[in-house]
Amino acid sequence: MFKELIIPEIKELLRKKDYKSIKEFITECHPSDIADLLESLTDGEAAILFLLLPKEQAGDTFSELETKKQEAILKQLTDQQIRELVLELEPDERTELFEELPGQITRKILQLLPPEDRRETLKILAYPEESVGRLITPEYIAVKPYWTVKEAMEYIRKNGKDAETIDIVYVVDDSGKLLDDIPIRRFILAHPDDKVESLMDGHYISISAYEDQEKAVQLVKQYNLIALPVTDSKGILLGIVTVDDIIDVMEEESTEDFRKIGGVGLSEEEDLVANVKEMSLKRLYRSRVPWLLVLLFMNIFSGGVISLFEGTIARYVVLVTFLPVIIATAGNAGSQSSTLMVRALAIGNVKLSDWAKLIGRELLISAALGLTAGIGIFFIGIARGGIKVSIVVLMTMIINVIIGSILGMSLPFLFTKLKKDPATASTPLITTMCDIIGTSIYFLIATNILF
Amino acid sequence: MFKELIIPEIKELLRKKDYKSIKEFITECHPSDIADLLESLTDGEAAILFLLLPKEQAGDTFSELETKKQEAILKQLTDQQIRELVLELEPDERTELFEELPGQITRKILQLLPPEDRRETLKILAYPEESVGRLITPEYIAVKPYWTVKEAMEYIRKNGKDAETIDIVYVVDDSGKLLDDIPIRRFILAHPDDKVESLMDGHYISISAYEDQEKAVQLVKQYNLIALPVTDSKGILLGIVTVDDIIDVMEEESTEDFRKIGGVGLSEEEDLVANVKEMSLKRLYRSRVPWLLVLLFMNIFSGGVISLFEGTIARYVVLVTFLPVIIATAGNAGSQSSTLMVRALAIGNVKLSDWAKLIGRELLISAALGLTAGIGIFFIGIARGGIKVSIVVLMTMIINVIIGSILGMSLPFLFTKLKKDPATASTPLITTMCDIIGTSIYFLIATNILF
């Protein structure tokens, strides 16, 4: 009766892709009613409805279903059509609509899938881009705490062939919750009749599927792991991330930072880490042109500043001959500072809170660098433009190198604070900012001292 | 008799550190005579003499020695005094004087040493900086091909506790030569009475201790290894390099490239990868000042170029207002190209031989970028300086962006060709070169079109 009334309406809402209304409606229903409903829909429709269920309900509903329907829905969840449908949505809309699937079901889906389909499916399971969830592989060994070592070894013998590693064996309870990780050597050294429980020490490092991949890299580095277990928000073991995937992530992130600091790629597109040799000319052009134009229009300001001082320049043309060396040196000092900081922030040597501590150091070093550079150019200043011009050049050089360095050092922190990648403080950006500021300071000092 | 005559002389040569004469002399002697000689010297003297022996003789001489003297020499080889003595020599002199020790002896020394002393000793064993030899750890499991699986498992059980990994078990012959690597799972799955030999497939990846660490990183990435066996030039297994060391190397090399491309650090000093926060101000100053001064003096050329055109500038002061944007855009395009190439060369996406193929692509892209930037500035040129000036600006912009890009793309290849790190083509270097060339082209075109 309930069913007869509701099914046509649900089908209509599905057709209209009005997922919000469906979600509102089914959240009110009892799991056994939902299970009933799912049985009456086509497998494709049932899969979408299932994805819309809140996490708690999804687990209960799944257990109410007949095994045949369970498998059908799992199969549908990995189907191309469902994928396309779900991927049509905006990422944040998707995250809002679809709940995290219960860990046990995620794991089952992962185990069903061939590796090449896995990444695509992890995308749909709404793990955000660059999250640990995207790296999960289900090829690990998990044993129960109440098994004997002999039983466990028997199980490893049978299932170890497909595991990515058997160096570490995971222990889970009956609901699949991660309890511990045990090095295989402890099994080999133990008595066959010992319980797995007796080998446990309760110390293990794990990570949530929603964490940033960067965090996984740090854990693997810090604890010298060869695999990192990944859990859902309830602590259910979903799979592991292996060290070879971690190596790939490290390389991708370094490449991304590298390109950003060189001013390539304004967006967070995936092709940031594509192979330069194989990228299409169009994509390469598009990855380079945005920054180039942004910087170009910033540079027009330098020109604007200069045009304010045309009178000064007309009287002292020699000032122009020092313009390149002054703005370039400030830009170079700034680039050095920003590269040092971007990398230090990326590998975790420096934290956001270190800024205040570091600025004092930067002031001292940049003053020393500015003085060195200033003296380097001072005597050429005397030779070409006389003592007054050379004093202008010396003063400008010191001030500009300090400002450039402080700017280069601080911008990566600012971008981090704004939740942007610190590498956005690219060397071209720093150089351009130094150009504008440096030109202004140069001609201001010159106009004041020379006239 | 032989001994009586020679010992005082050897002792004298040792005191004078005239290693060359000693080496010449002992190379002529029979191993049993040398063994005899070693027994009569103090342990310290004997150790140095031993280090001077050619590889073939060293092995034979070592077996001729009494066990007590053998141990004494090994102990001396790891002693602080010997270290200091050997480290006093220039690295190339050291490599020339001291032969590679026989692998069996290297391995024994490594096993005797606590981990903190290991790196220091690997330095003395004359493995060059950044070679795989510096990363060796002796904590692995090696079994013999004629053992049964049961014997091997017994051995693993006894010795596995201290191994870095037992996921991979190595097979060596009686001389210590590496024959194969076998995943532990193959042992677990095998029958206890099977011979180790029957589990071997003869496929394994190994690396020489003299290879570059970069090569080890590539092998580990390519074959998803968790440990890489390291052999001496005769194929003797010296130890393994584990994936956590590989991760450290990757990070160090990325950081080094990062700093270089930002123009920090002219030399190959080790502090290139030190923590910015903890580096002394003096070291930080010294790592930044060389490039800053090199670039400063390069930039003085730009000034020199400008001074050649003072006449042009005096008549068209407006030209100066476009100088920053023109040279900066060329520098930015060049920085983009060099960053892309430096990274592509570092991770092996691009090879030295790809240059010719890539230059065509770079020409097309940079022409498109130059045209985009040129049009972007063209109309401002009309507004500020009239049609003639804007044509000068447009033409200069296109030519400069092309030259900057080609330069930025090609320099990393040139440095690679010259056996220098491609990251030496830092963005400040490219920017500065673009400044000089760009300024010249700008005023040349201006002088020709405007007069």
Side-chain angles (χ1 to χ4, degrees), chain A residues 311-331:
Chain A
T312 310
I313 296 170
R315 270 188 63 190
Y316 288 90
V317 176
V318 70
L319 285 177
V320 181
T321 65
F322 293 100
L323 185 61
V325 72
I326 285 176
I327 59 180
T329 307

Side-chain angles (χ1 to χ4, degrees), chain A residues 23 136 144 222 224 287 314 324 328 355 434:
Chain A
K23 194 180 170 85
I136 299 174
K144 299 287 159 67
Q222 189 176 347
N224 289 338
S287 75
W355 180 77
C434 287

Side-chain angles (χ1 to χ4, degrees), chain B residues 144-370:
Chain B
K144 298 287 160 66
Y146 48 80
W147 290 0
T148 63
V149 168
K150 200 179 161 193
E151 283 172 319
M153 287 299 276
E154 206 56 55
Y155 179 83
I156 295 169
R157 223 166 255 132
K158 220 182 281 169
N159 298 282
K161 217 179 287 180
D162 300 322
E164 286 255 355
T165 178
I166 62 164
D167 226 12
I168 304 291
V169 173
Y170 299 94
V171 187
V172 295
D173 68 13
D174 285 330
S175 71
K177 213 170 154 232
L178 179 64
L179 300 176
D180 206 350
D181 59 358
I182 304 182
I184 184 82
R185 71 188 64 172
R186 247 187 268 164
F187 284 91
I188 293 178
L189 300 172
H191 192 277
D193 293 334
D194 286 351
K195 291 270 185 215
V196 169
E197 213 161 11
S198 71
L199 305 181
M200 289 166 60
D201 60 9
H203 293 301
Y204 63 93
I205 309 288
S206 71
I207 192 166
S208 147
Y210 284 90
E211 277 282 5
D212 197 286
Q213 294 178 359
E214 184 65 34
K215 176 82 185 167
V217 171
Q218 275 166 15
L219 287 175
V220 166
K221 278 195 306 196
Q222 189 176 347
Y223 296 101
N224 290 337
L225 306 173
I226 57 163
L228 183 63
V230 183
T231 58
D232 76 353
S233 56
K234 305 272 182 209
I236 304 290
L237 181 62
L238 299 176
I240 59 172
V241 175
T242 55
V243 75
D244 50 291
D245 287 324
I246 292 291
I247 286 179
D248 292 343
V249 170
M250 281 178 69
E251 193 158 278
E252 274 168 28
E253 301 212 333
S254 286
T255 301
E256 204 180 305
D257 277 358
F258 222 82
R259 295 206 178 159
K260 276 195 187 155
I261 203 135
V264 186
L266 192 66
S267 67
E268 302 267 346
E269 285 170 53
E270 282 184 41
D271 65 17
L272 262 175
V273 289
N275 184 340
V276 180
K277 208 167 66 186
E278 282 149 19
M279 263 165 95
S280 79
L281 290 181
K282 202 169 140 199
R283 272 169 86 196
L284 206 48
Y285 172 82
R286 281 209 305 224
S287 75
R288 291 175 59 174
V289 83
W291 261 122
L292 219 53
L293 287 182
V294 167
L295 297 170
L296 180 115
F297 285 102
M298 284 176 70
N299 262 304
I300 290 172
F301 276 95
S302 309
V305 169
I306 291 175
S307 69
L308 294 178
F309 294 98
E310 283 187 8
T312 309
I313 295 171
R315 269 189 61 190
Y316 288 90
V317 176
V318 70
L319 284 176
V320 181
T321 66
F322 292 101
L323 184 62
V325 72
I326 285 176
I327 60 180
T329 307
N332 291 338
S335 301
Q336 290 182 330
S337 304
S338 77
T339 336
L340 283 170
M341 283 308 140
V342 166
R343 186 62 185 169
L345 283 163
I347 60 178
N349 273 350
V350 159
K351 283 182 185 49
L352 201 52
S353 54
D354 287 327
W355 179 77
K357 246 181 290 169
L358 287 167
I359 201 144
R361 287 167 58 94
E362 192 66 33
L363 259 173
L364 285 174
I365 291 167
S366 62
L369 291 171

Side-chain angles (χ1 to χ4, degrees), chain B residues 31-32 35 55-65 102:
Chain B
S32 65
K55 194 173 178 185
E56 304 294 331
Q57 272 173 311
D60 291 343
T61 304
F62 198 72
S63 5
E64 297 269 347
L65 288 171

Side-chain angles (χ1 to χ4, degrees), chain A residues 27 34 38 51 206 259 268 293-294 308 378 399 418 422 437:
Chain A
T27 307
I34 305 172
L38 289 176
L51 278 174
S206 71
R259 294 207 179 159
E268 302 267 347
L293 287 183
V294 167
L308 294 178
F378 181 73
I399 295 174
L418 297 174
I437 300 172

Side-chain angles (χ1 to χ4, degrees), chain A residues 204-407:
Chain A
Y204 63 93
I205 309 286
S206 71
I207 192 166
S208 145
Y210 284 89
E211 278 282 5
D212 197 287
Q213 294 178 359
E214 184 64 35
K215 175 83 184 168
V217 170
Q218 275 165 15
L219 287 175
V220 166
K221 278 195 305 197
Q222 189 176 347
Y223 297 101
N224 289 338
L225 306 173
I226 57 163
L228 183 63
V230 183
T231 58
D232 75 353
S233 54
K234 306 272 181 208
I236 303 290
L237 180 62
L238 299 176
I240 58 172
V241 175
T242 54
V243 74
D244 49 292
D245 287 325
I246 292 292
I247 287 179
D248 292 343
V249 170
M250 281 177 69
E251 193 158 277
E252 274 169 29
E253 301 212 334
S254 286
T255 302
E256 205 179 303
D257 277 359
F258 222 83
R259 294 207 179 159
K260 277 195 187 153
I261 203 133
V264 186
L266 192 66
S267 67
E268 302 267 347
E269 285 168 55
E270 284 184 38
D271 63 16
L272 264 173
V273 288
N275 184 338
V276 180
K277 208 168 65 186
E278 281 149 21
M279 263 165 97
S280 79
L281 290 181
K282 204 170 137 197
R283 271 169 86 196
L284 207 48
Y285 172 81
R286 281 209 305 223
S287 75
R288 291 176 59 173
V289 83
W291 260 123
L292 219 53
L293 287 183
V294 167
L295 296 171
L296 179 114
F297 285 101
M298 285 176 70
N299 262 305
I300 289 173
F301 275 95
S302 308
V305 169
I306 292 175
S307 68
L308 294 178
F309 294 98
E310 282 188 6
T312 310
I313 296 170
R315 270 188 63 190
Y316 288 90
V317 176
V318 70
L319 285 177
V320 181
T321 65
F322 293 100
L323 185 61
V325 72
I326 285 176
I327 59 180
T329 307
N332 291 339
S335 301
Q336 290 182 330
S337 304
S338 77
T339 340
L340 282 171
M341 283 308 141
V342 167
R343 186 64 185 168
L345 283 163
I347 62 178
N349 273 350
V350 159
K351 282 182 187 49
L352 201 52
S353 54
D354 288 327
W355 180 77
K357 245 181 290 168
L358 287 168
I359 201 144
R361 288 166 58 92
E362 191 66 32
L363 260 172
L364 286 174
I365 291 168
S366 61
L369 291 171
L371 195 64
T372 313
I375 292 170
I377 195 81
F378 181 73
F379 297 101
I380 297 170
I382 293 181
R384 276 207 202 138
I387 184 75
K388 265 187 157 182
V389 167
S390 68
I391 289 174
V392 171
V393 170
L394 174 64
M395 283 178 59
T396 313
M397 186 64 98
I398 297 174
I399 295 174
N400 275 1
V401 167
I402 294 177
I403 292 180
S405 299
I406 297 290
L407 194 73

Side-chain angles (χ1 to χ4, degrees), chain A residues 49-271:
Chain A
L49 216 70
F50 185 75
L51 278 174
L52 289 167
L53 285 174
K55 193 173 179 186
E56 304 294 331
Q57 273 174 310
D60 291 343
T61 305
F62 197 73
S63 5
E64 297 268 346
L65 288 173
E66 284 170 33
T67 320
K68 226 174 124 186
K69 197 71 180 179
Q70 281 184 344
E71 277 172 20
I73 287 181
L74 288 183
K75 232 184 214 154
Q76 284 296 321
L77 284 179
T78 68
D79 189 77
Q80 192 54 33
Q81 257 187 309
I82 301 278
R83 265 174 225 169
E84 276 162 18
L85 196 67
V86 174
L87 288 173
E88 246 175 44
L89 300 168
E90 294 295 315
D92 48 341
E93 201 182 359
R94 216 189 315 157
T95 317
E96 193 196 331
L97 270 175
F98 300 128
E99 299 270 331
E100 185 191 0
L101 281 178
Q104 299 89 329
I105 297 170
T106 308
R107 203 174 52 217
K108 194 155 256 172
I109 295 176
L110 288 176
Q111 280 160 351
L112 283 174
L113 285 185
E116 55 271 29
D117 292 344
R118 213 177 280 150
R119 260 157 222 260
E120 192 60 22
T121 307
L122 292 171
K123 214 187 260 177
I124 305 174
L125 295 178
Y127 295 126
E129 208 166 314
E130 311 218 336
S131 73
V132 174
R134 297 284 183 99
L135 300 175
I136 299 174
T137 134
E139 281 136 11
Y140 60 90
I141 296 282
V143 299
K144 299 287 159 67
Y146 49 80
W147 290 359
T148 62
V149 167
K150 199 179 160 196
E151 283 172 319
M153 287 297 277
E154 206 55 56
Y155 179 81
I156 295 168
R157 224 166 254 134
K158 221 183 279 170
N159 298 282
K161 216 179 287 178
D162 299 323
E164 286 257 354
T165 178
I166 61 166
D167 227 12
I168 304 291
V169 174
Y170 300 95
V171 187
V172 294
D173 68 13
D174 284 331
S175 71
K177 212 172 153 229
L178 180 63
L179 300 177
D180 206 349
D181 59 358
I182 303 181
I184 184 83
R185 70 187 65 171
R186 247 187 267 162
F187 284 91
I188 292 177
L189 300 172
H191 192 277
D193 293 334
D194 287 350
K195 290 271 186 215
V196 170
E197 214 161 11
S198 71
L199 305 182
M200 289 166 59
D201 61 10
H203 292 301
Y204 63 93
I205 309 286
S206 71
I207 192 166
S208 145
Y210 284 89
E211 278 282 5
D212 197 287
Q213 294 178 359
E214 184 64 35
K215 175 83 184 168
V217 170
Q218 275 165 15
L219 287 175
V220 166
K221 278 195 305 197
Q222 189 176 347
Y223 297 101
N224 289 338
L225 306 173
I226 57 163
L228 183 63
V230 183
T231 58
D232 75 353
S233 54
K234 306 272 181 208
I236 303 290
L237 180 62
L238 299 176
I240 58 172
V241 175
T242 54
V243 74
D244 49 292
D245 287 325
I246 292 292
I247 287 179
D248 292 343
V249 170
M250 281 177 69
E251 193 158 277
E252 274 169 29
E253 301 212 334
S254 286
T255 302
E256 205 179 303
D257 277 359
F258 222 83
R259 294 207 179 159
K260 277 195 187 153
I261 203 133
V264 186
L266 192 66
S267 67
E268 302 267 347
E269 285 168 55
E270 284 184 38
D271 63 16

